[in-house]
Amino acid sequence: MRLSDFKFKLPEELIAQFPSRFRDEARMLVLHAKTGEIEHKLVSDLAAYFDEGDILIANDTKVFPARLYAKKEKTNANIEVFLLRELHHENRYWDVLVDPARKIRIGNKLFFDEDATIFAEVIDNTTSRGRTLRFLTDYEGDDFVEHLYSMGTTPLPKYIARPMTEETLEQYEEIFMDLPVMEMDEERYQTVFAKHIGAVAAPASSMHFSKNLLKRLEIRGVDTYTITSHVGLGNFKPVDVEDLSKHKVESEQIFISQQVADAVEKAHTESKRVCVVGTEVMRALEHVVGTNGQIKAYEGWTNKFIYAPYSFTVANSFLVNFYMPMSTQLIMVATYGGYDCVMKAYKEAIKEGYRFGDYGDAMLILND
């Protein structure tokens, strides 16, 4: 497989700018990978595809308000600062991305509010856009982090542009009525599983679950488990090499409990269905597959990039969103469901008007 194999024309109007009114109200294309059969359903129909003893594994990472805006010292230039990860809690060192990066050099100071309750000094260049900041403030420990987050906004992907035209506002008001957009994003760009803060992008496939859907699965006898995979921007870094073997992804922190490992082993032993929710969960679980074919408990990091040829071990079903052309997520999904089968499903999805991206619709791939 080459990068160009995953290029397709995606109509701009199919990139979801808002979520569906209710989480499980999104559309769901069901792909039977072995036969190529396609069904058109809703996410609320998910439980019908599972039986007692089957399991689902979702992501309980929590997105933090990573996008901030600052003023550069002296020039007063507007700078976007995107928090990536905390490097040192006591010294308040953070890895960030800055935009425009050409204006930001080592030694520059950035001010985040008019009263200068928090400002930062650039102490290192990490990549073309990456910088290490040392925050300076009278706030200490967790109080500092809480205040920093209070100044941030929901880190929506750039393709959610939302030019607030009259038509766009009418579309939004029709779905969410009087709820302010920022409040909607704070709630909906988060999952019902969200527990462990650390993600700078949402685990989009896990966002489709509602409490009602989880209850229907429970009544069906399906157990739902979670792992933690702190989604980073590396998961969305464009692939810029034709030879996929030369693409490198940034490491992301993952936590997989012994309970999850035992549940997967039990499901395999009893020939039950194991459904992985989201590409970041699949990547984390495949990272910890041992030589005996079983997964193990793990706390650490993964930079695993899955592309064909690859033999999956953990899951026989896969719930995902519809992803952007030439993305690492699409490459993984096509590897799982079969290139021809998945690309045919994508063609059908575009024809039928399915919505793409983090706020888009879902695809359930059944591979058994």
Side-chain angles (χ1 to χ4, degrees), residues 13 48 50 68 85 89 93 100 121 133 141 166 184 197 205 232 256 269 281 290 299 303 309:
E13 63 271 17
F50 296 90
L68 292 85
R85 64 176 62 91
H89 187 66
Y93 291 166
E121 182 181 7
L133 300 185
E166 184 175 336
M184 181 276 294
I197 195 162
S205 306
I256 300 169
T269 301
V281 177
E299 294 185 12
N303 62 353

Side-chain angles (χ1 to χ4, degrees), residues 55 57 225-227 256-265 285 295:
I55 66 172
I57 307 173
Y225 296 89
T226 60
I227 69 163
I256 300 169
S257 69
Q258 187 62 49
Q259 182 189 30
V260 170
D262 292 342
V264 171
E265 182 179 358
L285 292 172
I295 72 167

